[in-house]
Amino acid sequence: MSAHCQLTGRQPGFGNHVSHSHRRTKRRFDPNIQRKRYWLPSEGRHIRLTLSTRAIKTVDAIGIEAAVTRIRARGGKV
């Protein structure tokens, strides 16, 4: 599964592990991505979205119809 949120566009960040001796090695900060299934009443079907946990809270606040509209406006496929 790609570490990419369909609603917010959040992607992994990159940085360094810094050891006690101050050696640096590359690391990756992944967002908390979940797959969630929603009922889309306007189309009469279920959809499965790959969302960050913050985006799940956004869907709870604005509703699934508005969230799908935002995803499609960004060019995403639902």
Side-chain angles (χ1 to χ4, degrees):
M1 172 170 39
S2 168
H4 178 266
C5 177
Q6 288 180 288
L7 181 60
T8 62
R10 184 173 290 263
Q11 294 178 334
F14 295 91
N16 291 307
H17 283 290
V18 181
S19 69
H20 179 70
S21 65
H22 220 64
R23 281 185 174 264
R24 291 159 192 238
T25 54
K26 295 302 274 181
R27 66 158 294 178
R28 181 173 149 148
F29 297 91
D30 283 329
N32 189 358
I33 298 293
Q34 308 291 323
R35 287 188 55 136
K36 190 125 168 72
R37 188 170 171 244
Y38 290 99
W39 172 252
L40 194 59
S42 63
E43 297 182 15
R45 67 185 180 106
H46 284 98
I47 58 170
R48 190 175 299 276
L49 298 175
T50 305
L51 301 172
S52 64
T53 50
R54 178 170 291 191
I56 291 172
K57 292 176 188 175
T58 302
V59 170
D60 291 344
I62 67 173
I64 187 63
E65 297 289 343
V68 167
T69 304
R70 284 188 192 181
I71 292 170
R72 288 181 173 150
R74 293 182 74 237
K77 184 179 170 192
V78 177

Coordinates of all heavy atoms in Angstrom, one line a residue:
M1 N 0.8 -1.2 0.0 CA 0.0 0.0 0.0 C 0.9 1.2 0.0 O 1.8 1.3 0.8 CB -0.9 0.0 1.2 CG -1.7 1.2 1.4 SD -3.0 1.1 2.7 CE -2.3 0.2 4.0
S2 N 0.6 2.2 -0.9 CA 1.3 3.4 -0.9 C 1.0 4.3 0.3 O -0.1 4.4 0.7 CB 0.9 4.1 -2.2 OG 1.4 5.4 -2.2
A3 N 2.0 4.9 0.8 CA 1.9 5.8 2.0 C 1.5 7.2 1.5 O 2.2 8.2 1.5 CB 3.1 5.9 2.8
H4 N 0.2 7.3 0.9 CA -0.3 8.5 0.3 C -1.7 8.6 0.6 O -2.5 7.7 0.4 CB 0.0 8.4 -1.2 CG -0.5 9.6 -2.0 ND1 -1.7 9.7 -2.5 CD2 0.1 10.8 -2.2 CE1 -1.9 10.8 -3.1 NE2 -0.8 11.5 -2.9
C5 N -2.2 9.8 1.1 CA -3.6 10.0 1.4 C -4.3 10.6 0.2 O -3.9 11.6 -0.4 CB -3.7 11.0 2.6 SG -5.4 11.4 3.1
Q6 N -5.5 10.0 -0.1 CA -6.2 10.4 -1.3 C -6.9 11.8 -1.0 O -7.1 12.6 -2.0 CB -7.3 9.4 -1.6 CG -6.8 8.2 -2.2 CD -7.9 7.2 -2.5 OE1 -8.5 6.6 -1.6 NE2 -8.2 7.0 -3.8
L7 N -7.2 12.1 0.2 CA -8.0 13.4 0.5 C -7.0 14.5 0.7 O -7.1 15.6 0.1 CB -8.9 13.2 1.7 CG -9.7 14.4 2.1 CD1 -10.6 14.8 1.0 CD2 -10.5 14.1 3.4
T8 N -6.0 14.4 1.6 CA -5.1 15.5 1.9 C -3.9 15.5 1.1 O -3.2 16.5 1.1 CB -4.8 15.4 3.4 OG1 -4.1 14.2 3.7 CG2 -6.0 15.5 4.3
G9 N -3.5 14.4 0.5 CA -2.3 14.3 -0.3 C -1.0 14.2 0.6 O 0.1 14.3 0.1
R10 N -1.2 13.9 1.8 CA -0.1 13.7 2.7 C 0.8 12.5 2.3 O 0.3 11.4 2.0 CB -0.6 13.4 4.1 CG 0.5 13.4 5.2 CD -0.1 13.3 6.6 NE -0.7 14.6 6.9 CZ -0.1 15.5 7.7 NH1 1.1 15.3 8.1 NH2 -0.7 16.6 8.0
Q11 N 2.1 12.7 2.2 CA 3.0 11.7 1.8 C 4.1 11.6 2.8 O 4.2 12.3 3.7 CB 3.7 12.1 0.4 CG 2.7 12.2 -0.7 CD 3.4 12.7 -2.0 OE1 4.4 13.4 -1.9 NE2 2.9 12.3 -3.1
P12 N 5.0 10.6 2.7 CA 6.1 10.4 3.6 C 7.0 11.6 3.6 O 7.3 12.2 2.6 CB 6.8 9.2 3.1 CG 5.9 8.5 2.2 CD 5.0 9.5 1.7
G13 N 7.6 11.9 4.8 CA 8.6 12.9 4.9 C 10.0 12.1 5.1 O 10.0 11.0 5.5
F14 N 11.0 12.8 4.8 CA 12.3 12.1 4.9 C 13.3 12.9 5.8 O 13.1 14.1 5.9 CB 13.0 12.0 3.5 CG 12.2 11.1 2.6 CD1 11.2 11.6 1.8 CD2 12.4 9.7 2.6 CE1 10.4 10.7 1.0 CE2 11.7 8.9 1.8 CZ 10.7 9.4 1.0
G15 N 14.2 12.2 6.4 CA 15.1 12.9 7.4 C 16.2 11.9 7.7 O 16.5 11.0 6.9
N16 N 16.8 12.1 8.9 CA 17.9 11.3 9.3 C 17.7 10.7 10.7 O 17.1 11.3 11.5 CB 19.2 12.2 9.4 CG 19.7 12.7 8.1 OD1 19.9 11.9 7.2 ND2 19.8 14.0 7.9
H17 N 18.2 9.5 10.8 CA 18.4 8.9 12.2 C 19.7 9.6 12.7 O 20.6 9.6 11.9 CB 18.6 7.4 12.1 CG 17.4 6.6 11.9 ND1 16.4 6.4 12.8 CD2 17.0 5.9 10.8 CE1 15.5 5.6 12.4 NE2 15.8 5.3 11.2
V18 N 19.7 10.0 13.9 CA 20.9 10.6 14.4 C 21.3 9.8 15.6 O 20.6 9.8 16.6 CB 20.8 12.1 14.8 CG1 22.1 12.6 15.3 CG2 20.4 12.9 13.6
S19 N 22.4 9.0 15.6 CA 22.8 8.1 16.7 C 23.5 9.0 17.8 O 23.7 10.2 17.6 CB 23.8 7.1 16.1 OG 25.0 7.7 15.8
H20 N 23.8 8.3 18.8 CA 24.5 8.9 19.9 C 25.8 9.5 19.5 O 26.2 10.6 20.0 CB 24.7 7.9 21.1 CG 25.4 8.5 22.3 ND1 24.8 9.4 23.1 CD2 26.7 8.3 22.7 CE1 25.7 9.7 24.0 NE2 26.8 9.1 23.9
S21 N 26.5 8.8 18.6 CA 27.8 9.3 18.1 C 27.6 10.4 17.0 O 28.6 10.8 16.4 CB 28.6 8.1 17.5 OG 28.0 7.6 16.4
H22 N 26.4 10.7 16.7 CA 26.0 11.7 15.7 C 26.2 11.3 14.3 O 26.2 12.1 13.4 CB 26.7 13.0 16.0 CG 25.8 14.2 15.8 ND1 24.7 14.4 16.6 CD2 25.8 15.2 14.9 CE1 24.1 15.5 16.2 NE2 24.8 16.1 15.2
R23 N 26.3 10.0 14.0 CA 26.3 9.5 12.7 C 24.8 9.6 12.1 O 23.9 9.4 12.9 CB 26.6 8.0 12.6 CG 28.1 7.8 12.7 CD 28.3 6.3 12.5 NE 29.8 6.0 12.5 CZ 30.4 5.9 11.3 NH1 29.8 6.0 10.2 NH2 31.7 5.7 11.3
R24 N 24.7 9.9 10.9 CA 23.4 10.1 10.3 C 23.1 9.1 9.2 O 24.0 8.9 8.3 CB 23.3 11.5 9.7 CG 23.3 12.6 10.8 CD 23.7 13.9 10.3 NE 23.9 14.8 11.4 CZ 23.3 16.0 11.6 NH1 22.4 16.4 10.7 NH2 23.5 16.7 12.6
T25 N 22.0 8.5 9.3 CA 21.5 7.6 8.2 C 20.1 8.0 7.8 O 19.4 8.6 8.6 CB 21.5 6.1 8.7 OG1 20.8 6.0 9.9 CG2 22.9 5.6 8.9
K26 N 19.7 7.8 6.6 CA 18.4 8.3 6.1 C 17.3 7.5 6.7 O 17.4 6.3 7.0 CB 18.4 8.1 4.6 CG 19.3 9.0 3.8 CD 19.1 10.5 4.1 CE 18.1 11.0 3.2 NZ 17.9 12.5 3.4
R27 N 16.2 8.1 6.9 CA 15.0 7.5 7.4 C 13.8 8.1 6.8 O 13.9 9.1 6.1 CB 14.9 7.6 8.9 CG 14.7 9.0 9.5 CD 14.1 9.0 10.8 NE 12.8 8.5 10.8 CZ 12.0 8.4 11.8 NH1 12.4 8.7 13.0 NH2 10.8 7.9 11.7
R28 N 12.6 7.5 7.0 CA 11.4 7.9 6.4 C 10.3 8.0 7.4 O 10.1 7.1 8.2 CB 11.1 6.8 5.3 CG 9.8 7.1 4.6 CD 9.8 6.0 3.5 NE 8.4 5.7 3.2 CZ 8.0 5.3 2.0 NH1 8.8 5.1 1.1 NH2 6.7 5.1 1.8
F29 N 9.6 9.1 7.4 CA 8.5 9.4 8.3 C 7.2 9.1 7.6 O 6.8 9.9 6.8 CB 8.5 10.8 8.9 CG 9.7 11.2 9.7 CD1 10.8 11.8 9.1 CD2 9.7 11.0 11.0 CE1 11.9 12.1 9.8 CE2 10.8 11.4 11.8 CZ 11.9 12.0 11.2
D30 N 6.6 7.9 7.8 CA 5.3 7.6 7.1 C 4.1 8.2 7.8 O 4.1 8.1 9.0 CB 5.2 6.1 7.0 CG 6.0 5.5 5.9 OD1 6.3 6.2 4.9 OD2 6.4 4.3 6.1
P31 N 3.1 8.7 7.1 CA 1.9 9.1 7.7 C 1.1 7.9 8.1 O 1.3 6.8 7.6 CB 1.2 9.9 6.6 CG 1.7 9.4 5.3 CD 3.1 9.0 5.6
N32 N 0.2 8.1 9.0 CA -0.7 7.0 9.5 C -1.8 6.8 8.5 O -2.8 7.4 8.6 CB -1.2 7.3 10.9 CG -1.9 6.1 11.5 OD1 -2.0 5.0 10.9 ND2 -2.4 6.3 12.7
I33 N -1.5 5.9 7.5 CA -2.5 5.6 6.4 C -3.3 4.4 6.8 O -2.8 3.4 7.2 CB -1.7 5.4 5.1 CG1 -0.9 6.6 4.7 CG2 -2.6 5.0 4.0 CD1 -1.7 7.8 4.4
Q34 N -4.6 4.5 6.5 CA -5.6 3.5 6.8 C -6.5 3.3 5.5 O -6.7 4.3 4.8 CB -6.5 3.8 8.0 CG -5.8 4.2 9.2 CD -5.1 3.1 9.9 OE1 -5.5 1.9 9.8 NE2 -3.9 3.4 10.4
R35 N -6.9 2.1 5.3 CA -7.9 1.8 4.2 C -9.3 1.8 4.9 O -9.5 1.0 5.8 CB -7.6 0.5 3.5 CG -6.4 0.7 2.6 CD -6.2 -0.5 1.8 NE -7.4 -0.7 1.0 CZ -7.5 -1.1 -0.3 NH1 -6.4 -1.2 -0.9 NH2 -8.6 -1.3 -0.9
K36 N -10.2 2.6 4.4 CA -11.5 2.7 5.0 C -12.6 2.6 3.9 O -12.5 3.2 2.9 CB -11.6 4.0 5.7 CG -12.8 4.2 6.6 CD -12.4 4.5 8.0 CE -13.6 5.0 8.9 NZ -14.4 3.9 9.2
R37 N -13.7 1.9 4.3 CA -14.8 1.7 3.4 C -15.9 2.5 3.8 O -16.3 2.6 4.9 CB -15.1 0.2 3.4 CG -16.1 -0.3 2.4 CD -16.2 -1.8 2.5 NE -17.2 -2.3 1.7 CZ -18.3 -3.0 2.2 NH1 -18.4 -3.2 3.4 NH2 -19.2 -3.4 1.4
Y38 N -16.5 3.3 2.8 CA -17.6 4.2 3.0 C -18.7 3.9 2.1 O -18.5 3.4 0.9 CB -17.2 5.6 2.8 CG -16.3 6.2 3.8 CD1 -14.9 6.3 3.6 CD2 -16.8 6.7 5.1 CE1 -14.1 6.8 4.5 CE2 -15.9 7.2 6.0 CZ -14.6 7.3 5.7 OH -13.7 7.8 6.7
W39 N -20.0 4.1 2.5 CA -21.1 4.0 1.7 C -21.4 5.3 1.0 O -21.5 6.4 1.7 CB -22.4 3.6 2.5 CG -23.6 3.6 1.7 CD1 -24.6 4.5 1.8 CD2 -24.0 2.7 0.7 NE1 -25.6 4.2 0.9 CE2 -25.3 3.1 0.2 CE3 -23.4 1.6 0.1 CZ2 -26.0 2.5 -0.8 CZ3 -24.1 0.9 -0.9 CH2 -25.4 1.4 -1.4
L40 N -21.4 5.4 -0.3 CA -21.6 6.6 -1.1 C -23.1 6.6 -1.6 O -23.4 5.9 -2.6 CB -20.7 6.6 -2.3 CG -20.5 8.0 -3.0 CD1 -20.0 9.0 -2.0 CD2 -19.5 7.8 -4.1
P41 N -24.0 7.3 -0.9 CA -25.4 7.2 -1.2 C -25.8 7.7 -2.6 O -26.7 7.2 -3.3 CB -26.1 8.1 -0.2 CG -25.1 8.4 0.9 CD -23.7 8.1 0.3
S42 N -25.1 8.7 -3.1 CA -25.4 9.3 -4.4 C -25.2 8.3 -5.5 O -25.9 8.4 -6.6 CB -24.6 10.6 -4.6 OG -23.2 10.3 -4.7
E43 N -24.2 7.4 -5.4 CA -23.9 6.4 -6.4 C -24.4 5.0 -6.0 O -24.3 4.1 -6.8 CB -22.4 6.4 -6.7 CG -21.9 7.7 -7.2 CD -20.4 7.6 -7.5 OE1 -19.8 6.5 -7.6 OE2 -19.8 8.7 -7.7
G44 N -24.9 4.9 -4.8 CA -25.5 3.6 -4.4 C -24.5 2.5 -4.3 O -24.8 1.3 -4.6
R45 N -23.3 2.8 -3.9 CA -22.2 1.8 -3.8 C -21.3 2.1 -2.7 O -21.2 3.2 -2.1 CB -21.5 1.7 -5.1 CG -20.7 2.9 -5.4 CD -20.0 2.8 -6.8 NE -19.2 4.0 -7.1 CZ -17.9 4.0 -7.1 NH1 -17.2 2.9 -6.8 NH2 -17.3 5.1 -7.4
H46 N -20.5 1.1 -2.3 CA -19.4 1.3 -1.3 C -18.1 1.8 -2.1 O -17.9 1.4 -3.2 CB -19.1 0.0 -0.6 CG -20.1 -0.3 0.5 ND1 -21.1 -1.2 0.3 CD2 -20.2 0.2 1.7 CE1 -21.8 -1.3 1.4 NE2 -21.3 -0.5 2.3
I47 N -17.3 2.6 -1.4 CA -16.0 3.0 -2.0 C -15.0 2.7 -0.9 O -15.3 2.8 0.3 CB -16.0 4.4 -2.4 CG1 -16.3 5.4 -1.3 CG2 -16.9 4.7 -3.6 CD1 -16.0 6.8 -1.6
R48 N -13.8 2.4 -1.3 CA -12.7 2.1 -0.4 C -11.6 3.2 -0.6 O -11.1 3.4 -1.7 CB -12.1 0.7 -0.6 CG -11.1 0.4 0.5 CD -10.6 -1.1 0.3 NE -11.7 -2.0 0.4 CZ -12.2 -2.6 1.5 NH1 -11.7 -2.2 2.7 NH2 -13.1 -3.5 1.5
L49 N -11.4 4.0 0.4 CA -10.4 5.1 0.3 C -9.2 4.8 1.1 O -9.2 4.1 2.2 CB -11.0 6.4 0.8 CG -12.3 6.9 0.0 CD1 -12.8 8.1 0.7 CD2 -11.9 7.2 -1.4
T50 N -8.0 5.3 0.7 CA -6.8 5.2 1.4 C -6.6 6.6 2.1 O -6.3 7.6 1.3 CB -5.6 4.9 0.5 OG1 -5.9 3.7 -0.2 CG2 -4.3 4.7 1.3
L51 N -6.8 6.7 3.4 CA -6.8 8.0 4.0 C -5.9 8.0 5.2 O -5.6 7.0 5.9 CB -8.2 8.3 4.6 CG -9.3 8.3 3.5 CD1 -10.7 8.4 4.3 CD2 -9.2 9.5 2.6
S52 N -5.3 9.2 5.5 CA -4.6 9.4 6.8 C -5.7 9.5 7.9 O -6.8 9.8 7.6 CB -3.7 10.6 6.7 OG -4.5 11.8 6.6
T53 N -5.2 9.3 9.1 CA -6.2 9.4 10.2 C -6.8 10.8 10.4 O -7.9 10.9 10.7 CB -5.5 9.0 11.6 OG1 -4.3 9.7 11.7 CG2 -5.2 7.5 11.5
R54 N -6.0 11.8 10.0 CA -6.5 13.2 10.1 C -7.6 13.3 9.0 O -8.7 14.0 9.2 CB -5.4 14.2 9.8 CG -6.0 15.6 9.8 CD -4.9 16.6 9.8 NE -4.2 16.6 11.1 CZ -3.4 17.5 11.5 NH1 -3.0 18.5 10.7 NH2 -2.8 17.5 12.7
A55 N -7.4 12.7 7.8 CA -8.4 12.8 6.8 C -9.7 12.0 7.1 O -10.8 12.5 6.8 CB -7.9 12.2 5.5
I56 N -9.6 11.0 7.9 CA -10.8 10.2 8.4 C -11.6 11.2 9.3 O -12.8 11.2 9.2 CB -10.4 8.9 9.1 CG1 -9.8 7.9 8.1 CG2 -11.6 8.3 9.9 CD1 -9.2 6.7 8.8
K57 N -10.9 11.9 10.1 CA -11.7 12.9 11.0 C -12.3 14.0 10.1 O -13.4 14.5 10.4 CB -10.7 13.5 12.0 CG -10.2 12.5 13.0 CD -9.2 13.2 13.9 CE -8.6 12.1 14.9 NZ -7.5 12.7 15.7
T58 N -11.6 14.4 9.0 CA -12.2 15.4 8.1 C -13.4 14.9 7.5 O -14.4 15.6 7.4 CB -11.2 15.8 7.1 OG1 -10.0 16.3 7.7 CG2 -11.7 16.8 6.1
V59 N -13.4 13.6 7.0 CA -14.6 13.0 6.4 C -15.7 12.9 7.4 O -16.9 13.2 7.1 CB -14.3 11.6 5.9 CG1 -15.5 10.8 5.5 CG2 -13.3 11.7 4.7
D60 N -15.4 12.6 8.7 CA -16.5 12.6 9.7 C -17.1 14.0 9.9 O -18.3 14.1 10.1 CB -15.9 12.1 11.0 CG -15.5 10.7 11.0 OD1 -16.0 9.9 10.1 OD2 -14.8 10.2 11.9
A61 N -16.3 15.0 9.7 CA -16.8 16.4 9.9 C -17.6 16.9 8.7 O -18.6 17.5 8.9 CB -15.6 17.3 10.2
I62 N -17.1 16.7 7.5 CA -17.7 17.3 6.3 C -18.6 16.4 5.6 O -19.4 16.8 4.7 CB -16.6 17.9 5.4 CG1 -15.8 16.8 4.7 CG2 -15.7 18.9 6.0 CD1 -14.8 17.3 3.6
G63 N -18.5 15.1 5.8 CA -19.4 14.1 5.1 C -18.6 13.5 3.9 O -17.7 14.1 3.4
I64 N -19.1 12.3 3.6 CA -18.4 11.6 2.5 C -18.6 12.2 1.1 O -17.7 12.2 0.3 CB -18.8 10.1 2.5 CG1 -18.0 9.3 1.6 CG2 -20.3 9.9 2.3 CD1 -16.5 9.2 1.8
E65 N -19.8 12.8 0.9 CA -20.1 13.4 -0.4 C -19.1 14.6 -0.7 O -18.5 14.7 -1.7 CB -21.5 13.9 -0.5 CG -22.6 12.8 -0.4 CD -22.6 11.9 -1.6 OE1 -22.1 12.3 -2.6 OE2 -23.2 10.8 -1.4
A66 N -18.9 15.4 0.3 CA -18.0 16.6 0.2 C -16.6 16.1 0.0 O -15.8 16.7 -0.7 CB -18.2 17.5 1.3
A67 N -16.2 15.1 0.8 CA -14.9 14.5 0.7 C -14.6 13.9 -0.7 O -13.5 14.2 -1.3 CB -14.6 13.5 1.7
V68 N -15.5 13.2 -1.3 CA -15.4 12.6 -2.6 C -15.3 13.8 -3.6 O -14.4 13.7 -4.6 CB -16.5 11.7 -2.9 CG1 -16.6 11.3 -4.4 CG2 -16.4 10.4 -2.1
T69 N -16.0 14.8 -3.4 CA -15.9 16.0 -4.3 C -14.5 16.6 -4.3 O -13.9 16.9 -5.3 CB -17.0 17.1 -4.0 OG1 -18.3 16.5 -4.0 CG2 -16.9 18.2 -4.9
R70 N -13.9 16.7 -3.1 CA -12.6 17.2 -3.0 C -11.5 16.3 -3.6 O -10.6 16.8 -4.3 CB -12.2 17.4 -1.5 CG -12.8 18.6 -0.8 CD -12.3 18.8 0.5 NE -13.0 19.7 1.3 CZ -12.7 20.1 2.5 NH1 -11.7 19.6 3.1 NH2 -13.5 21.0 3.2
I71 N -11.7 15.0 -3.4 CA -10.8 14.0 -4.0 C -10.8 14.1 -5.6 O -9.8 14.2 -6.2 CB -11.1 12.6 -3.6 CG1 -10.8 12.5 -2.1 CG2 -10.3 11.6 -4.4 CD1 -11.3 11.2 -1.5
R72 N -12.0 14.2 -6.1 CA -12.2 14.3 -7.6 C -11.6 15.6 -8.1 O -11.1 15.7 -9.2 CB -13.6 14.1 -8.0 CG -14.0 12.7 -7.8 CD -15.4 12.4 -8.2 NE -15.7 11.0 -8.2 CZ -16.9 10.4 -8.0 NH1 -17.9 11.2 -7.7 NH2 -17.0 9.1 -7.9
A73 N -11.8 16.7 -7.3 CA -11.2 18.0 -7.7 C -9.7 18.0 -7.8 O -9.1 18.7 -8.6 CB -11.7 19.1 -6.7
R74 N -9.1 17.2 -6.9 CA -7.6 17.1 -6.9 C -7.2 16.2 -8.1 O -6.0 16.0 -8.3 CB -7.1 16.5 -5.6 CG -7.3 17.4 -4.4 CD -6.8 16.7 -3.2 NE -5.3 16.8 -3.2 CZ -4.5 15.8 -3.1 NH1 -5.0 14.6 -3.0 NH2 -3.2 15.9 -3.2
G75 N -8.1 15.5 -8.8 CA -7.8 14.6 -9.9 C -7.7 13.2 -9.5 O -7.2 12.4 -10.2
G76 N -8.2 12.9 -8.3 CA -8.1 11.5 -7.8 C -9.3 10.7 -8.3 O -10.3 11.2 -8.7
K77 N -9.0 9.4 -8.4 CA -10.1 8.5 -8.9 C -10.7 7.8 -7.7 O -10.1 7.4 -6.7 CB -9.4 7.4 -9.7 CG -10.4 6.4 -10.4 CD -9.6 5.4 -11.2 CE -10.6 4.4 -11.7 NZ -9.9 3.2 -12.3
V78 N -12.1 7.8 -7.7 CA -12.8 7.1 -6.6 C -13.7 6.0 -7.2 O -14.3 6.1 -8.2 CB -13.8 8.1 -5.9 CG1 -14.6 7.5 -4.9 CG2 -12.9 9.2 -5.3

